[in-house]
Amino acid sequence: MQQWFTDAKLGIFIHYGIYAVQGVAESWSFYNGRMSYEDYMKQLDGFTASKFDAKYWADLIAKSGAKYSVLTTKHHDGVALFDTKFSDLSVMKATPAKRDIIKEWSEAIRDQGLRVGMYYSLIDWSHPDYPSVYENGVVPDDLSQVNRFSSPMDGVQDPERWERFLAFNRNQLGEVLSNYGQVDLLWFDGDWERSAEQWGLPAFKEYLKSFNPDLIINSRLQGYGDYKTPEQGLPITRPEGAWEFCTTINTSWGYVHTDHNYKSLNQMIRMFCDCISMGGNMLLDIGPMEDGTIDPRQEAILLGLGDWIRTHEEAVYGTQEGIMTRYYLGGSTLSPDKKNLYLFVYDTPRENICLKGLCNPITKITVLHSGKELTHEIHGGVPWFHIPGTTWIQITPEDMHDQVTVLKLEFDEEIEMYGGSGAVVTHN
Ligand code: GLC
């Protein structure tokens, strides 16, 4: 995995599309029959991007502390946000906006020194050749359950049309990967409707990497991706390898006027700490309004997150996953040399912060945001059996940050944790 990605910790995801016009669920609203396809597509006429200011977005994203951003170049509805030769369904050709959003955005993001990620939906529920085969090539027993946007209704498959669709996807991806400078990350979605074989893997992946050998591809590629993308629910067990947790800021990916179910800044920071404590990134989604403005509540979260990250930078960027919650009941990260341990303190402690199983002597403890030094004491332990005691760090409510407090623990040697189940002390 590319170092920049594991060091980055925060990315900003953007779901921008015609669904913001009426504020309906992106693509799914017609797929699930909550509105007709025709009514959904009428939103094309209302997509103006009249206040879209790519520099403003990029500046806000940089202020959030994110090191990369991922924008929807095309969602399952098939509406491209970029200028494509291979379809008329784009905001350039089919909406009053008439702008290449991807061009303006990718330039602004790069100007901020951030990495560029492109979301691309593999499924295209508007393309006439898409509903030509079934998942795995298997005709389902009950054709009444088939969704007309993804598969044929009559049980007859047409592999030629499917090949045409694959060529279309390759062509559009060729545009995305070559017309907008270096793309660092390709964020696929919707692989689940076809098998690896149907997507033409692994040749398809080789084709994508031919544009940039360092290109990172997320896991939504039927087993051929580079990192896992758990979504909406925080992982409890650490996902294997590199990973990124994607989450909405309220409950919607795109802009939904009626969705006021926002997470608080404190919840967002804690979720972020939980991700980096397990060695992952967080990809936090915003859904801009159709005219390109961003809801002030979304902006406030991004700015608040950025303030917190800047104050605690060394506990965030370039760190590694921390110690298990059996040792410390909260989140934590480690510096790459494992000589600094950062503890995330979520709530105001009653008396002390407790740390178990620590084998090394602590040389210094500081409250990261204030620089204040804290004292500690160790009780118990059997040094001659190499069983450490319990470390109690003295802290008062006045020492706390108003969001999440970070304590920096320094060591002369790489940190070592005891993992045993204790012992009877037979030699005193
Ligand atoms: C889901 C949805 C999609 C959304 C994506 C983001 O897979 O299909 O609407 O874009 O999650 O992770």
Side-chain angles (χ1 to χ4, degrees):
M1 177 47 72
Q2 277 66 301
Q3 190 74 32
W4 76 260
F5 182 79
T6 39
D7 284 350
K9 308 301 174 192
L10 183 69
I12 299 297
F13 208 178
I14 310 170
H15 276 65
Y16 188 36
I18 64 165
Y19 34 87
V21 173
Q22 285 187 43
V24 296
E26 71 291 344
S27 310
W28 291 99
S29 40
F30 70 84
Y31 182 86
N32 288 335
R34 286 195 291 268
M35 69 195 295
S36 71
Y37 180 76
E38 291 66 33
D39 283 345
Y40 181 92
M41 283 300 164
K42 275 190 199 131
Q43 295 178 104
L44 285 166
D45 302 332
F47 188 80
T48 64
S50 58
K51 295 180 185 150
F52 169 63
D53 179 350
K55 286 201 173 66
Y56 187 86
W57 282 20
D59 180 60
L60 175 65
I61 292 166
K63 284 186 180 140
S64 77
K67 298 292 184 196
Y68 65 107
S69 183
V70 181
L71 173 60
T72 46
T73 64
K74 187 182 89 167
H75 205 262
H76 315 329
D77 59 13
V79 183
L81 262 71
F82 57 101
D83 189 15
T84 173
K85 282 204 296 251
F86 302 98
S87 163
D88 290 334
L89 200 50
S90 70
V91 299
M92 279 292 276
K93 292 184 202 159
T95 74
K98 292 199 172 26
R99 288 165 82 168
D100 189 332
I101 303 289
I102 298 302
K103 181 170 192 295
E104 295 180 44
W105 171 84
S106 54
E107 284 168 3
I109 289 291
R110 220 170 274 121
D111 285 351
Q112 285 286 351
L114 306 176
R115 298 282 183 161
V116 173
M118 305 280 196
Y119 168 107
Y120 184 86
S121 168
L122 288 165
I123 47 188
D124 187 329
W125 294 328
S126 284
H127 198 286
D129 290 326
Y130 182 72
S132 50
V133 294
Y134 296 97
E135 188 182 341
N136 274 318
V138 179
V139 183
D141 292 337
D142 183 2
L143 286 174
S144 70
Q145 297 302 310
V146 170
N147 189 302
R148 72 179 168 102
F149 297 106
S150 49
S151 293
M153 302 296 286
D154 57 4
V156 183
Q157 306 197 70
D158 187 342
E160 241 170 72
R161 272 173 65 211
W162 178 247
E163 279 310 315
R164 264 202 327 251
F165 176 74
L166 289 180
F168 165 75
N169 260 6
R170 280 195 303 270
N171 285 334
Q172 279 205 329
L173 283 160
E175 293 179 318
V176 167
L177 295 174
S178 52
N179 294 350
Y180 304 100
Q182 181 177 304
V183 174
D184 302 298
L185 175 66
L186 195 53
W187 213 100
F188 279 131
D189 200 13
D191 62 334
W192 57 79
E193 286 198 347
R194 301 289 185 261
S195 65
E197 200 188 341
Q198 286 173 313
W199 289 124
L201 290 159
F204 178 46
K205 185 172 183 183
E206 282 156 27
Y207 164 75
L208 300 164
K209 292 258 184 185
S210 72
F211 293 90
N212 170 16
D214 293 327
L215 178 72
I216 300 175
I217 303 176
N218 73 338
S219 63
R220 300 187 184 183
L221 196 57
Q222 291 289 20
Y224 286 87
D226 300 321
Y227 72 89
K228 307 242 166 37
T229 59
E231 172 174 337
Q232 297 290 41
L234 275 168
I236 300 302
T237 302
R238 188 209 193 288
E240 239 176 82
W243 64 279
E244 171 200 69
F245 168 67
C246 58
T247 178
T248 51
I249 219 163
N250 46 15
T251 41
S252 316
W253 293 104
Y255 187 68
V256 174
H257 310 62
T258 50
D259 185 352
H260 305 299
N261 195 12
Y262 279 82
K263 295 166 186 79
S264 71
L265 175 60
N266 189 256
Q267 289 165 345
M268 226 57 260
I269 295 174
R270 287 182 58 159
M271 286 165 72
F272 176 60
C273 291
D274 283 343
C275 289
I276 64 176
S277 295
M278 285 200 287
N281 289 357
M282 185 165 87
L283 184 63
L284 173 61
D285 180 73
I286 54 170
M289 295 179 222
E290 87 44 49
D291 65 2
T293 51
I294 296 167
D295 188 300
R297 290 168 293 185
Q298 303 190 7
E299 232 180 279
I301 294 281
L302 263 54
L303 294 173
L305 198 50
D307 280 346
W308 185 87
I309 291 177
R310 261 184 301 282
T311 309
H312 300 100
E313 257 186 15
E314 62 166 284
V316 176
Y317 301 125
T319 56
Q320 299 177 358
E321 62 183 296
I323 54 175
M324 290 187 288
T325 47
R326 290 186 218 169
Y327 297 119
Y328 169 63
L329 292 172
S332 61
T333 54
L334 279 163
S335 59
D337 65 3
K338 295 196 165 66
K339 289 183 181 174
N340 295 316
L341 171 67
Y342 302 94
L343 300 180
F344 301 132
V345 188
Y346 295 140
D347 299 302
T348 305
R350 183 181 285 264
E351 270 188 3
N352 295 290
I353 303 267
C354 175
L355 183 58
K356 289 172 281 183
L358 175 65
C359 299
N360 325 46
I362 304 172
T363 54
K364 194 177 176 187
I365 305 175
T366 36
V367 181
L368 207 53
H369 74 274
S370 63
K372 182 179 165 184
E373 252 186 75
L374 299 182
T375 54
H376 71 285
E377 54 194 27
I378 296 168
H379 288 296
V382 195
W384 59 96
F385 274 10
H386 304 293
I387 299 172
T390 301
T391 303
W392 301 93
I393 302 170
Q394 275 100 33
I395 189 162
T396 64
E398 299 78 65
D399 295 324
M400 304 304 286
H401 187 271
D402 53 7
Q403 295 300 340
V404 169
T405 310
V406 182
L407 303 186
K408 176 183 182 182
L409 276 59
E410 295 174 53
F411 307 92
D412 283 337
E413 306 287 332
E414 195 172 293
I415 189 177
E416 198 191 313
M417 304 304 289
Y418 169 73
S421 47
V424 175
V425 184
T426 53
H427 297 75
N428 268 295

